[in-house]
Amino acid sequence: MDIKVSASLLGADLSEPGAEAVRAKNSGADWIHYDVMDGKFVENISFGSEIQKAIVKKDKFFMDTHLMVSRPDKQLEFFIKSGSDLITFHIESESDADHTVNILHRAGLDAGIALKPSTPAEYVYPFLEKIELVLVMTVEPGYGGQGFLNYTLPKIKQIREKADELRPSLMIEVDGGINSETAPLVKKAGADVLVSGSYLFGAENMREAIQKLKA
Ligand code: DX5
Ligand code: ZN
């Protein structure tokens, strides 16, 4: 399986987000994970589309945008224009998921749906045939640097099995607490895109840390 690593900027030195994205790319990160928090869907507020626009001017990245916002349908336009390649929104948000996916596809972007740790796998089944990615949160959304929640592993496996039936090309992304110890567990369960923030940006050697996640 081809494993991708998506470097979460939330774990970077945010006095220089553009330089940090370049450092992650040059160290072998496949994607840049961009966490948007609105202070409503989650309590925290992170960064918005203007900062993303500035970052994408620095280099060519695959921008993996994760919207932790209550009305993704109303905010999509900003992040489509600021250079996202794939946008993932939460099934627990207030937007109609089908409509939100349609907006993304019409704009030529890939669409992902995210599930909080305790949201059942079945919630995403009706959309599996039309989306490119499912993001399984392996910590509660809102903060970087939390510990991996082991109880999410069976859900990854369950979604992989369902996708093998309905949409074999579906990517499964995991987000939260991913490091060299938890990576083998999520890969075994069927994840193929690993988001990592504090582990990667805190590593002495980011290139080696990325290789360890992929190995
Ligand atoms: C949490 C974010 C994550 C976070 C992961 O709400 O969605 O992307 O940055 O950070 P680590 O890898 O430190 O758990
Ligand atoms: Zn995220």
Side-chain angles (χ1 to χ4, degrees):
M1 207 197 315
D2 176 31
I3 301 291
K4 288 188 171 64
V5 169
S6 192
S8 176
L9 280 185
L10 209 56
D13 172 359
L14 289 178
S15 66
E16 284 189 290
E20 287 285 76
V22 171
R23 180 164 80 94
K25 184 185 169 185
N26 291 344
S27 305
D30 301 278
W31 293 359
I32 300 298
H33 186 81
Y34 194 79
D35 285 305
V36 180
M37 304 179 185
D38 66 351
K40 202 172 164 209
F41 183 78
V42 292
E43 285 175 1
N44 208 353
I45 291 178
S46 55
F47 23 60
S49 60
E50 294 305 320
I51 302 218
Q52 185 171 56
K53 213 182 277 174
I55 294 170
V56 301
K57 282 192 185 136
K58 292 274 175 193
D59 203 336
K60 190 156 174 27
F61 304 110
F62 185 95
M63 269 288 170
D64 167 30
T65 301
H66 176 193
L67 296 182
M68 286 165 271
V69 305
S70 20
R71 285 297 303 266
D73 58 332
K74 291 199 169 178
Q75 300 201 337
L76 284 182
E77 211 48 47
F78 297 106
F79 292 94
I80 291 169
K81 288 197 181 121
S82 59
S84 300
D85 294 283
L86 176 147
I87 298 184
T88 297
F89 63 93
H90 274 263
I91 195 75
E92 307 88 355
S93 72
E94 290 162 23
S95 301
D96 178 77
D98 210 51
H99 171 66
T100 309
V101 170
N102 289 343
I103 299 175
L104 287 169
H105 283 165
R106 271 203 301 270
L109 269 71
D110 288 340
I113 296 186
L115 303 173
K116 289 185 186 181
S118 49
T119 302
E122 287 80 6
Y123 280 38
V124 82
Y125 287 180
F127 309 101
L128 284 187
E129 283 170 282
K130 67 182 291 188
I131 60 179
E132 282 68 40
L133 176 144
V134 170
L135 188 165
V136 176
M137 291 292 313
T138 44
V139 300
E140 289 299 336
Y143 307 91
Q146 305 178 73
F148 179 82
L149 298 169
N150 270 294
Y151 71 82
T152 58
L153 287 168
K155 183 164 66 176
I156 300 168
K157 189 159 180 275
Q158 201 185 336
I159 296 171
R160 183 72 270 162
E161 283 168 4
K162 194 73 184 169
D164 285 345
E165 264 172 53
L166 299 176
R167 185 161 171 91
S169 65
L170 182 91
M171 291 180 280
I172 300 184
E173 182 174 41
V174 285
D175 185 7
I178 302 299
N179 53 40
S180 55
E181 269 139 50
T182 54
L185 308 176
V186 292
K187 287 190 283 186
K188 186 161 180 269
D192 39 26
V193 184
L194 312 189
V195 175
S196 180
S198 47
Y199 167 72
L200 285 191
F201 285 98
E204 236 162 73
N205 185 326
M206 195 190 287
R207 176 168 292 278
E208 270 173 26
I210 290 174
Q211 276 163 358
K212 274 193 198 150
L213 294 184
K214 289 193 173 205

